Every structure is written in structure tokens, then in C-alpha cells.
Amino acid sequence: MYTLLNGKELSKKIKREIASEVASIIDSGKRSPSLAVVLVGEDEASKIYVRNKIKATKATGIISHEYKLPESITEKELIETIRFLNNDDEVDGILVQLPLPKQISEEKIINLIAPEKDVDGFTPKNTGRFYIGLNSLKPCTPSGIMEFFKEYNIKIEGKSAVVLGRSNIVGKPIANMLLEKNATVTICHSKTQNLKKIVKNSDIVVSAIGKAEFIKEDWIKKGAVVIDVGINYNEAKQLVGDVDFKNVADKCSFITPVPKGVGPMTIAMLMKNCLTAYKMRTK
Ligand code: NDP
């Protein structure tokens, strides 16, 4: 029998803890932490992500300021918006929802966000500090995954872990976090050979490749811990992960569902980063 890693419940618990901390900040007469959310254009998925993030600020008592900017905005105008938010003392976190329209360099915009307000943990400064083990704001999705290990007392040290995917927002940072906790980590990508064999030898599997139900039952070692980051639609247009959950789950000791697994944890950790940024800025 496997244990389901319930991201919906755990994220609620984390948000309750944040809400109580925010409430005591307000009770002590100080202002609330605040998050500026910048949404450019009309991308439907981005609108849903932003809506969910704003909802989470309301649930935690964090003040949110939403900046809805037109698809046609120039890079210069967006740069001015970010500079304005960087300089606004009452903004603790800045989140620029990606992707941005093609006339705008994402790299340029991310680089511009003040590192102390970088609640996505994407700026080069936070990234560099994170990889050399210094205090930093860390990317939300991998931080959320690590909360599962903590909450469910899952041992990492000495285990063999495989991470499928090497993006800067999920694959690389989760690999580093598992490494920090003394797992032996293999990072796989689209050019990896013998992928199935590597996965089969792993105690911990984190998949972030974005391929519907790609990982099958015969890939998984009995008793493995499986974390499914993927958000995909299968042929029946159902929302599914990278893992063929129905057939894989019984082989696992722990597994995340999709939905209600990693997704809600990402948003909870964004709130946590916002509170951390506030505390760092106001201490
Ligand atoms: P990217 O597209 O940036 O990266 C995908 C990675 O998967 C790449 O490193 C790619 O390799 C690798 N890959 C692709 N195909 C294969 C394959 N057949 N075998 C092995 N590796 C492969 O994706 P993201 O990291 O941004 O996201 C990954 C998934 O996670 C997506 O479904 C996304 O929607 C989801 N996601 C979910 C979040 C959540 O909160 N639940 C948050 C962020 C993402 P290569 O580098 O060689 O191209």
C-alpha cells in the first residue's frame, strides 16, 4: 500500500501557518507583507496561475497588487514597471508571471528584479547563493517538493535519487536540494540513454519533463518515492502527470497525485517566500 503525498492538505497547513504569522505581524502594529504580481498579456494558463496566487495571498493575509499589462507592452515599459516595484519600499515580493511576449527578454526582466524581492528565486544572485549553500530565496516548486519529504518523514540521506528534467525552475534546483540532503543524484534529460534503467535503480524519482503518463509501472523500483511535477493532458483530455499513476502507485511507498500534488505546494511556497522576503527586508 502506498501513501499519497497530499499537496492540497499540506499546502493548506502551510498557508494556515503563514496566515497565523501574518496575523501576529499585523497585531503588533506593523504592515502586512505584500506581493506585486505582474501579468503581461492574455495567456490563459498564466491568468489561471495568477488567479490562484492572488487567492493564496488573500487566504494568508498577504497584500497583493496585481499589474495587468497589455500583450503589446514594450520591454522598456516593463523595465520601468519593475524598477518602480523595486523602489517601492512597501513591496516585499515581485512575481513576473512567465512566459512573457516575444518582444521582451525574460532574462533581462528577471535579472532586473531586486534579489531581496525575488520570491520566485530566479535571479542570478539568488541562484548563485543557493548553489553554493548560502541563504537565499529559492524556487517554489522544488521547495514545495522538499516539504513533502519533511512532513511525511521520508529519508533522503544515502538514497539514490533521479531527477527527470534539467530546467532552471524545477530539475536543477530539486537535484541540488536532494544533494544538499545527501542523496546521490542523477539528472536525466532528453539525451539521456537507458533512462528506464536509471529510474528503475532509484529510490527517489522526481519527474519534471512534461510528457503525459510517460513513466510506466515497470520503470519503478518497488518501494520507491515518486514525485510527479508534470502537468499534462492525455488523449482523453484529462489532466495527468508524467507518471502513469494508476499502474505505478501500487509499486511506490509514497507518490504525489496530479492534480493536488506538487501544484498547490508551489503556491504555498510562494507565500512562504513572500513572508521570508518581508522578514528579511524589515528586520
Ligand atoms: P522544461 O520544458 O523547461 O524542461 C523539460 C525537461 O524535460 C528538459 O530538461 C528536457 O530535456 C526534459 N525532457 C523532455 N523530454 C524528455 C524525455 N523524453 N526524457 C527525458 N527528459 C526529457 O519544463 P519545466 O521544468 O518548466 O516543467 C516540466 C513539467 O513540470 C511541465 O509539465 C510543467 O508544466 C510542469 N511544472 C509544474 C509545476 C507545478 O507547480 N506543478 C511548476 C513548474 C512546471 P532537455 O533539457 O534535453 O530538453
Side-chain angles (χ1 to χ4, degrees), residues 49 141 164-171 188-192 195 207-211 214 219 228-232 242 261-267:
Y49 293 141
T141 301
L164 288 87
R166 55 174 162 182
S167 70
N168 289 333
I169 64 168
V170 190
C188 298
H189 45 77
S190 65
K191 308 289 184 292
T192 299
L195 185 59
S207 184
I209 59 174
K211 296 237 173 306
F214 182 78
W219 290 44
D228 191 352
V229 186
I231 302 176
N232 319 290
D242 292 346
V262 174
M265 295 303 293
T266 300
I267 295 186

Side-chain angles (χ1 to χ4, degrees), residues 15-166:
K15 283 188 282 184
R16 275 197 302 272
E17 287 163 6
I18 296 169
S20 121
E21 212 176 318
V22 171
S24 47
I25 289 171
I26 297 169
D27 285 348
S28 73
K30 295 191 193 124
R31 70 166 177 86
S32 292
S34 78
L35 173 67
V37 181
V38 180
L39 172 64
V40 183
E42 300 295 327
D43 182 83
E44 286 308 318
S46 293
K47 281 191 202 167
I48 295 171
Y49 293 141
V50 164
R51 201 184 311 142
N52 289 336
K53 288 167 188 178
I54 302 276
K55 210 167 125 194
T57 60
K58 294 200 165 55
T60 49
I62 293 172
I63 294 170
S64 58
H65 305 281
E66 200 177 343
Y67 292 79
K68 281 189 186 157
L69 305 171
E71 183 87 31
S72 59
I73 192 171
T74 63
E75 190 176 81
K76 191 163 168 270
E77 286 166 324
L78 186 56
I79 287 174
E80 277 161 20
T81 307
I82 303 298
R83 289 217 169 104
F84 167 78
L85 296 172
N86 280 345
N87 291 327
D88 185 339
D89 202 38
E90 298 214 342
V91 169
D92 300 298
I94 301 172
L95 180 136
V96 179
Q97 186 64 47
L98 302 177
L100 293 172
K102 40 185 184 321
Q103 73 274 18
I104 299 171
S105 154
E106 286 185 359
E107 193 190 332
K108 213 185 245 179
I109 297 301
I110 290 168
N111 282 351
L112 199 69
I113 296 171
E116 68 276 15
K117 299 187 180 189
D118 168 29
V119 284
D120 261 334
F122 290 166
T123 59
K125 182 167 179 192
N126 278 317
T127 305
R129 290 180 63 87
F130 165 47
Y131 284 103
I132 58 172
L134 297 175
N135 199 22
S136 65
L137 290 165
K138 300 185 181 75
C140 301
T141 301
S143 299
I145 294 172
M146 295 311 282
E147 291 291 322
F148 283 125
F149 286 93
K150 207 157 68 182
E151 176 73 13
Y152 290 83
N153 283 318
I154 302 170
K155 191 172 174 229
I156 300 177
E157 185 163 308
K159 301 289 179 187
S160 57
V162 63
V163 175
L164 288 87
R166 55 174 162 182

